[in-house]
Amino acid sequence: MSAPFHSYLCGRKAAEWLIDMKILISNDDGIDAAGIRALVRAFGAAGYDVVVGAPDSQRSAASHSMTFARPLAVSERQLDGASRAFAIGGTPVDCVKLALHALCPDAEAVVSGINHGYNAGSDVLYSGTVGAAMEGALNGRPALAVSLAHGDDHFDAAASLAVRIFQRMMENPLPPLTVLNLNHPASARAAGVKAAPIKPTHYTESYAPCVLEDGRPGYHLVPGDGPDKTPPGDDDWSWLEAGYATLTALTFDMTDREATRALKGLF
């Protein structure tokens, strides 16, 4: 970790221009989740004007899905630390899109989380938390996704680190269309912060047959024990298991440019 970044994480105050910045906070665990409440309190206490636009119920693993076939129900709520808060009957991406187009179009940045469970490795492809942040980036806003180990309850610690990381991110802007993905380890205090690529992971889930209420046959997803245990390396999962928080810059562009160039000689 560079010396300037380390000194920042040890208590550097936000620049004056960051105070009163309006930010949109969303998630995929729903507006009543402990993670988003901790995040809103932390950013509100840091002096930001927080507006919440989050699903009205659990929407985990929604990725970048959207709602087309029906209107989105919206109800205003009260959240400690937020100037306004909206519970929205849609996916995380629905919430960010609606908020940035209608509910708070003057929001200057998007923060998503705190997800209850890491969004590391291949999980970033399924994550509604990352999807919400990516929608913010696609709409031209700096965007941060925040996640905490499943089963861990150190939400305030993760929120405090998220505020500091966000401030550093704003002082050193990411490239356009990029999300900063932060994962906090299962501890009250991270051993440090490591910038690392995502680890290729594979889950051992299965599907069990069942009978639906109307009598039709169906299948129920049976989650596996977690990602496969490949040898540790310089990747997000390995550093998280070692007690570090991790940062990964994600972009929507999934193009394999080398393979795409090779296609030109085949077709």
Side-chain angles (χ1 to χ4, degrees):
M1 187 185 304
S2 67
F5 195 17
H6 182 268
S7 65
Y8 171 79
L9 292 177
C10 289
R12 182 178 172 187
K13 293 183 179 180
E16 287 296 325
W17 62 271
L18 286 172
I19 303 302
D20 295 328
M21 172 185 284
K22 179 173 283 188
I23 62 171
L24 170 66
I25 294 183
S26 191
N27 74 344
D28 71 359
D29 289 329
I31 197 168
D32 295 313
I36 196 170
R37 299 297 179 104
L39 204 59
V40 172
R41 288 195 304 270
F43 274 88
Y48 294 95
D49 180 4
V50 175
V51 176
V52 174
D56 58 7
S57 60
Q58 175 65 251
R59 296 290 199 284
S60 289
S63 188
H64 214 95
S65 61
M66 296 169 54
T67 301
F68 290 101
R70 58 174 177 79
L72 301 173
V74 179
S75 60
E76 192 151 4
R77 302 277 289 275
Q78 298 291 323
L79 263 70
D80 184 20
S83 60
R84 300 191 76 182
F86 301 94
I88 301 169
T91 69
V93 167
D94 287 331
C95 295
V96 173
K97 290 179 75 70
L98 176 61
L100 294 181
H101 283 84
L103 303 177
C104 58
D106 54 344
E108 301 168 76
V110 174
V111 180
S112 180
I114 300 168
N115 190 69
H116 202 187
Y118 290 145
N119 278 309
S122 61
D123 287 352
V124 301
L125 297 174
Y126 304 104
S127 169
T129 302
V130 173
M134 189 62 71
E135 186 61 32
L138 292 175
N139 281 273
R141 271 71 166 188
L144 173 68
V146 188
S147 303
L148 175 66
H150 183 72
D152 191 86
D153 62 356
H154 293 106
F155 290 108
D156 289 333
S160 178
L161 179 60
V163 171
R164 299 197 296 273
I165 293 293
F166 177 82
Q167 291 168 178
R168 188 61 167 159
M169 180 183 78
M170 295 303 300
E171 293 168 356
N172 299 268
L174 294 169
L177 308 179
T178 302
V179 166
L180 190 59
N181 187 41
L182 168 64
N183 282 282
H184 193 281
S187 63
R189 182 178 178 86
V193 180
K194 295 288 186 179
I198 63 175
K199 182 176 188 174
T201 51
H202 175 71
Y203 284 84
T204 57
E205 68 266 3
S206 60
Y207 285 85
C210 62
V211 179
L212 305 181
E213 291 183 359
D214 61 4
R216 290 181 299 162
Y219 287 84
H220 181 74
L221 175 64
V222 180
D225 296 330
D228 51 352
K229 299 299 182 181
T230 55
D234 183 20
D235 60 71
D236 54 2
W237 267 108
S238 297
W239 286 119
L240 286 165
E241 291 182 346
Y244 288 83
T246 62
L247 288 171
T248 307
L250 306 174
T251 177
F252 87 102
D253 186 355
M254 301 172 69
T255 305
D256 184 327
R257 285 172 171 75
E258 183 177 348
T260 302
R261 284 193 296 270
L263 290 175
K264 296 179 180 179
L266 298 177
F267 297 95

